[in-house]
Amino acid sequence: MNKHFEDARYYLKRASEHASAGIKEELKPVVERVNELRGVEPEPEPSRVEKLQSDLKEIEQRAEGEARERIVEAREKVAAYRDRTEQSA
């Protein structure tokens, strides 16, 4: 891809992220007021420890899934190797 297009895509992405953050920041008081009128209490933000724990849990689950995939692949390779050696014998 042309370097100019890559640069343009990068800056458009950044601009959209900044615009999104700005809109959220501007509308935050309105959302809080509406929730207050509705009687909805805001959910407390998770602590740093809770965020780390959830991130670690996600990483652990992903690692388990990848490990299972690798085990299946290894078993398939061993079975294929055994089939080849039995056929050649």
Side-chain angles (χ1 to χ4, degrees), residues 1 7-8 11 20 36 47 49 51 80 82 85:
M1 182 182 286
D7 290 347
Y11 286 113
S20 176
E36 183 182 309
S47 68
V49 172
K51 286 180 187 178
R82 287 181 179 167
T85 56

Side-chain angles (χ1 to χ4, degrees), residues 18-36:
H18 282 275
S20 176
I23 290 170
K24 287 178 184 177
E25 188 176 323
E26 287 294 317
L27 293 178
K28 187 176 180 179
V30 175
V31 170
E32 289 174 352
R33 178 71 177 139
V34 169
N35 286 339
E36 183 182 309

